[in-house]
Amino acid sequence: TYITKMWQRHYASIKDCNSIIDNVTKNKGKINNWEFYVTQARGMRAFLYFDLVRWYGDVPLVVKEIKSLGDLDMPRTPQKEVFEQIIADTMEKGDTANGYQYGRLTKDACRGFLAKVHLWLASVAVRDGKEVLGSATDNYTKAMNYAKEVIKGGRYRLVEYYPDVFDAKTKLDKAPEEVLWCVQGYTGDGTGTLVGMNFGIRGNENK
């Protein structure tokens, strides 16, 4: 059940991203700051595909609008091509004017994400002896360079007490000091999520 839902919900979100990209681009003459909406949707699509390609390997690569998930009847695309699309969708987008911006993929967030993508590609090349896209050395170098760009920008720093990043009781001005981009789930207003339950740090919060 969990595996099925992960697959379906990611592709449902990708369908929405593709709809935004295609329709906003088609009507760009009527929409102020249309590039912003397209780049945000492409960045989110890349994030979703990064999950899928790590979980399932080769997956169908859909980059055009489809009317429903029932239309998703196509062969799986090699990992290499999916990663090429992920990198193309994320490359140097957003702005760095204000550092962390709630719910938005800034340039720093994209650089941090690309560092993570290249780090994964490098680690798989070392662990499995499998070059999905480039050598381990090349990907480690790219990961390091993207991380350095974030550090040099000076808009982020490590928090003094690491658990503050994950503590719901911590003021909202704490986590953004270290977190480049995230989805924050609140309680009591209908926006809570199960992300923390499924993927977060577990155990006694007092330890």
Side-chain angles (χ1 to χ4, degrees):
T1 300
Y2 285 113
I3 293 172
T4 301
K5 285 181 178 178
M6 287 158 60
W7 177 276
Q8 291 174 339
R9 290 174 180 175
H10 272 63
Y11 271 106
S13 297
I14 288 169
K15 180 179 80 68
D16 292 342
C17 289
N18 288 337
S19 178
I20 291 168
I21 294 164
D22 287 358
N23 287 289
V24 170
T25 302
K26 189 186 305 179
N27 295 282
K28 61 185 180 183
K30 306 173 186 176
I31 302 171
N32 293 329
N33 199 21
W34 68 272
E35 291 113 326
F36 170 80
Y37 300 105
V38 171
T39 55
Q40 291 293 306
R42 288 186 66 184
M44 179 59 72
R45 183 174 69 185
F47 175 79
L48 293 163
Y49 270 122
F50 187 46
D51 277 348
L52 288 169
V53 80
R54 286 181 295 163
W55 291 336
Y56 302 105
D58 299 344
V59 296
L61 180 60
V62 187
V63 293
K64 294 293 183 183
E65 183 181 20
I66 57 175
K67 297 303 180 184
S68 73
L69 291 182
D71 298 328
L72 188 61
D73 183 13
M74 58 184 64
R76 298 164 78 183
T77 305
Q79 273 187 311
K80 179 178 182 291
E81 294 179 35
V82 180
F83 272 104
E84 287 173 340
Q85 186 66 49
I86 289 169
I87 292 168
D89 275 346
T90 320
M91 191 68 70
E92 297 297 304
K93 301 190 187 320
D95 66 81
T96 56
N98 300 305
Y100 178 90
Q101 296 178 44
Y102 176 76
R104 293 181 177 178
L105 279 162
T106 64
K107 187 172 286 188
D108 280 332
C110 289
R111 287 169 175 166
F113 175 73
L114 285 168
K116 187 174 183 178
V117 168
H118 286 291
L119 194 61
W120 188 91
L121 289 167
S123 65
V124 167
V126 171
R127 186 193 67 193
D128 300 338
K130 175 186 177 184
E131 292 186 0
V132 176
L133 180 62
S135 67
T137 300
D138 183 48
N139 280 297
Y140 276 133
T141 300
K142 288 179 179 178
M144 179 179 67
N145 289 339
Y146 280 120
K148 280 183 176 179
E149 286 297 314
V150 175
I151 294 168
K152 283 195 305 183
R155 288 170 285 274
Y156 297 90
R157 67 181 184 87
L158 300 180
V159 297
E160 293 181 6
Y161 183 57
Y162 181 62
D164 278 346
V165 176
F166 305 97
D167 191 343
K169 301 184 185 73
T170 302
K171 292 182 180 179
L172 291 178
D173 61 351
K174 275 287 184 185
E177 294 178 2
E178 180 171 326
V179 178
L180 303 184
W181 180 72
C182 70
V183 176
Q184 292 177 315
Y186 297 105
T187 58
D189 62 353
T191 61
T193 76
L194 297 177
V195 173
M197 185 182 298
N198 292 324
F199 300 108
I201 294 175
R202 303 188 182 197
N204 189 324
E205 65 179 23
N206 297 317
K207 290 184 180 179

